Amino acid sequence: MKSRIPIKLRKLLKDKQSESQNQFSQTQTENQIFSDLKTNLDLIKEELGNSSDITTREFQAGENGELKLAIIFTEGLTNTDAVQNFILDILMEKIRFANIGPNVVNSLNWYDVIKSISLPVGSLQEISDFQKLYFHLLSGDTILLIDGYPKGLAVSLKGWADRGVQEPSAQTVVRGPKDGFSETLRTNTALIRRRIRDPNLRLETKQIGKRTQTDVSIMYLKGVANEKTVAEVQSRLNKINIDAILESGYIEELIQDEVFTPFPTILNSERPDAVSAAILEGRIAILVDGTPYVLIVPALFVHFFQSSEDYYQRADIGTLIRLLRYLAFFLALLSPSAYIAITTFHQEMLPTPLLISLAAQREGVPFPALVEALIMELTFEILREAGLRMPRAIGSSISIVGALVIGQAAVEAGIVSPMMVIVVSITALCSFIFPAYSMSISIRMLRFLFMILAATFGLFGIILGLIVMVLHLNSLRSFGIPYMAPNAPFILKDQKDNIIRLPHWALSTRPRLINQKDTRKEDSAAPKPPTK
């Protein structure tokens, strides 16, 4: 962002520069901060359009008020109480009575005295151009400018409204931590630092978005994360050229390996414990300011079926829950299509009493099985979306009551059969069991494709669709890692935390493909259970 300096101010600036004899006078460019305080303030006000939320406060300091200063901050993003206590009060009152001798002032000059001695703040950055000035100002920092000095100070006194740490709304657990990420980047990084107190935990931050200048950070364990994967993440983030980043979904879509696939290749989570566990495995977390959802790469197919609670319960309980998720995956994907195929083409597969019962139920239904299934599936999808968009107080009741009323009314009207209502209800319940919402959406999309294949080719169409889906899954990569690992390629050592979960004392190594360097866990020397 370059400053557009009006002609009158340029002439005034040239006159002032020719008259100025102080030791900091030098040739200025349009982007540099000028020595004259009034000129700087006029330029800032014009560039920001005299916005009402940009507050400017001019004042004098020094024993006799010989020093002219100004602070600039953005209301709503800056802690005004801290500005009063740590800047104005110090410079306007206490600095006059401070024990600072004239020799110290002469040797350091006022700028160095204020920077090194006067301001009791933790973060202080020197700025010399308007581009950095605008960035810090619009990020919530307080800008301090001193008359006669062609540079300023950015004082970190951010203080915007924060939702705070609350329980995650989309990824709840029965047993486990209840804290979740918020929309503030520094709060989110602190939640991870709190769990991983390792000096090798690296945090790298950059700004992405020409207009928004959104802070995007990556966190990983140096020596554990694959260096090539870290370099690939940095490279993809550096290539992003976009006006705005408003949510981590922007980043996810711009850096994913495969665009035309229904399956997600980047995992997102709002749980600090899940992200910390992924970092300890050797994966990389991408945090975006302004959203509670953190991206995790690389993300494999098995990761979307794993929940944090799997590791907080006993190994046998965690294994049972995982097996239920894989069973629910196939039921949610294939239940309607299997019903369509059997009732349309393969009636001989059903026992005679069940076949007679189904035939009696469908006697008055005027539509084929495919149309019947499409009506019920689309109705349920509409009810599900309506329940999500409605106010929380009535959203859940509307979706539940709506499904019961519409289902019962459709059966009584003879539009659908009772068996189809049961099949759709089982399918809907199974689609809610996945810890990752993105995988649930993928199954919802593929379900309609399998229904069409079943209505066209019967069970042969379903088998053909499964073969094509498996081939597609094996062709996917997530930051260079095979998407179906450790199943394809098959890695025997990684099966201990795949479909089944062995006890913690048996989880002695990290996943081989994700981590190629430090594959041994430090805590693997924990004693095994006593044996008789």
Side-chain angles (χ1 to χ4, degrees):
M1 183 189 301
K2 291 187 177 180
S3 304
R4 297 184 294 274
I5 304 177
I7 298 177
K8 291 183 179 180
L9 286 176
R10 290 190 184 187
K11 292 180 179 179
L12 177 63
L13 174 63
K14 289 181 179 179
D15 295 338
K16 288 183 176 294
Q17 282 184 329
S18 61
E19 295 175 359
S20 178
Q21 300 297 326
N22 63 74
Q23 59 179 339
F24 293 102
S25 62
Q26 55 182 334
T27 303
Q28 300 283 347
T29 64
E30 287 188 356
N31 201 37
Q32 289 179 319
I33 295 176
F34 305 111
S35 300
D36 183 69
L37 179 61
K38 188 177 185 306
T39 302
N40 290 328
L41 296 179
D42 291 340
L43 291 176
I44 294 171
K45 290 178 181 179
E46 181 180 352
E47 182 68 24
L48 299 178
N50 291 313
S51 299
S52 57
D53 61 338
I54 305 298
T55 300
T56 303
R57 173 73 161 86
E58 298 183 61
F59 60 97
Q60 295 179 337
E63 188 173 355
N64 300 316
E66 67 274 10
L67 192 62
K68 295 181 180 180
L69 307 95
I71 59 170
I72 314 162
F73 60 90
T74 306
E75 291 188 21
L77 299 181
T78 305
N79 188 338
T80 54
D81 292 335
V83 172
Q84 174 67 35
N85 296 329
F86 299 117
I87 297 182
L88 294 178
D89 187 44
I90 295 293
L91 297 182
M92 295 180 68
E93 296 292 337
K94 296 181 180 180
I95 196 174
R96 298 190 180 187
F97 308 102
N99 188 17
I100 302 176
N103 294 332
V104 176
V105 175
N106 293 334
S107 62
L108 295 179
N109 65 62
W110 274 113
Y111 180 87
D112 291 330
V113 169
I114 293 175
K115 178 182 177 181
S116 305
I117 301 176
S118 301
L119 293 181
V121 292
S123 178
L124 200 65
Q125 296 187 40
E126 184 177 297
I127 52 176
S128 58
D129 59 77
F130 283 102
Q131 183 176 358
K132 291 183 179 179
L133 185 147
Y134 294 134
F135 173 76
H136 286 283
L137 176 62
L138 299 177
S139 298
D141 293 335
T142 301
I143 306 300
L144 175 63
L145 298 176
I146 306 173
D147 189 32
Y149 296 88
K151 50 187 175 180
L153 295 173
V155 187
S156 180
L157 296 176
K158 298 181 177 69
W160 53 69
D162 188 1
R163 181 170 60 96
V165 178
Q166 299 178 0
E167 183 176 357
S169 58
Q171 297 175 332
T172 57
V173 295
V174 177
R175 178 178 179 178
K178 302 297 182 182
D179 56 341
F181 290 121
S182 70
E183 286 75 17
T184 305
L185 177 63
R186 194 54 63 226
T187 301
N188 297 341
T189 57
L191 289 173
I192 299 177
R193 286 279 187 189
R194 179 184 174 188
R195 288 170 166 81
I196 306 177
R197 303 173 185 178
D198 191 327
N200 291 318
L201 181 62
R202 298 291 186 263
L203 174 63
E204 301 175 6
T205 304
K206 60 186 66 180
Q207 287 73 42
I208 301 179
K210 181 180 178 182
R211 300 294 181 185
T212 58
Q213 291 288 301
T214 306
D215 289 328
V216 178
S217 299
I218 64 173
M219 295 189 77
Y220 62 94
L221 268 179
K222 184 177 177 59
V224 175
N226 192 319
E227 296 178 358
K228 293 183 179 179
T229 307
V230 175
E232 181 65 23
V233 173
Q234 294 171 337
S235 174
R236 295 189 189 186
L237 291 178
N238 291 332
K239 291 179 181 177
I240 295 178
N241 184 14
I242 192 172
D243 267 1
I245 298 292
L246 300 179
E247 213 273 339
S248 58
Y250 285 59
I251 300 290
E252 179 179 353
E253 191 171 350
L254 291 170
I255 67 173
Q256 61 186 353
D257 289 67
E258 186 67 36
V259 177
F260 301 104
T261 177
F263 294 98
T265 56
I266 297 178
L267 182 64
N268 64 79
S269 176
E270 57 178 340
R271 297 190 59 85
D273 56 336
V275 176
S276 300
I279 293 176
L280 291 170
E281 279 187 350
R283 292 191 276 169
I284 303 166
I286 303 175
L287 300 91
V288 181
D289 190 26
T291 175
Y293 288 92
V294 175
L295 305 180
I296 303 173
V297 295
L300 309 183
F301 183 77
V302 296
H303 293 150
F304 294 90
F305 292 85
Q306 297 175 357
S307 172
S308 301
E309 196 171 4
D310 297 348
Y311 302 92
Y312 305 147
Q313 302 285 359
R314 293 200 329 255
D316 52 350
I317 299 176
T319 299
L320 174 62
I321 295 175
R322 283 190 185 178
L323 292 174
L324 285 176
R325 293 193 192 111
Y326 281 100
L327 176 62
F329 170 78
F330 289 102
L331 289 177
L333 184 66
L334 302 177
S335 290
S337 56
Y339 175 80
I340 293 171
I342 292 175
T343 56
T344 305
F345 296 101
H346 311 283
Q347 296 92 344
E348 68 277 1
M349 296 180 62
L350 297 175
T352 302
L354 179 58
L355 180 61
I356 295 174
S357 175
L358 291 179
Q361 293 177 21
R362 290 189 47 78
E363 184 177 359
V365 178
F367 304 111
L370 175 62
V371 177
E372 184 184 4
L374 287 176
I375 290 174
M376 289 304 299
E377 288 288 348
L378 290 175
T379 302
F380 184 81
E381 293 295 335
I382 293 172
L383 285 172
R384 174 167 20 198
E385 287 300 315
L388 289 175
R389 311 306 166 197
M390 293 286 288
R392 237 174 235 189
I394 60 176
S396 59
S397 59
I398 287 293
S399 60
I400 295 173
V401 173
L404 293 175
V405 171
I406 292 178
Q408 183 67 24
V411 171
E412 293 180 357
I415 299 177
V416 297
S417 62
M419 189 63 186
M420 179 57 72
V421 176
I422 296 174
V423 171
V424 173
S425 300
I426 293 175
T427 304
L429 289 174
C430 291
S431 64
F432 286 123
I433 200 173
F434 304 107
Y437 181 68
S438 53
M439 181 58 71
S440 175
I441 297 177
S442 302
I443 296 172
R444 288 160 60 183
M445 292 190 296
L446 290 173
R447 185 188 305 151
F448 291 96
L449 179 61
F450 275 93
M451 288 165 57
I452 296 174
L453 289 174
T456 307
F457 303 105
L459 290 179
F460 301 102
I462 296 176
I463 295 173
L464 177 63
L466 287 174
I467 293 174
V468 174
M469 186 185 74
V470 172
L471 291 175
H472 175 69
L473 285 171
N474 281 278
S475 68
L476 295 179
R477 296 289 186 274
S478 180
F479 284 80
I481 308 298
Y483 190 60
M484 292 302 293
N487 298 316
F490 184 79
I491 303 173
L492 181 61
K493 291 184 178 180
D494 290 348
Q495 299 303 316
K496 59 184 178 297
D497 191 18
N498 184 13
I499 299 177
I500 63 173
R501 182 184 82 78
L502 296 183
H504 283 289
W505 53 264
L507 303 178
S508 58
T509 57
R510 297 184 176 91
R512 186 173 68 86
L513 285 179
I514 294 177
N515 178 274
Q516 303 288 347
K517 199 171 184 180
D518 183 10
T519 59
R520 192 78 181 174
K521 292 183 179 180
E522 295 293 336
D523 59 352
S524 61
K528 298 181 180 180
T531 57
K532 294 183 180 180

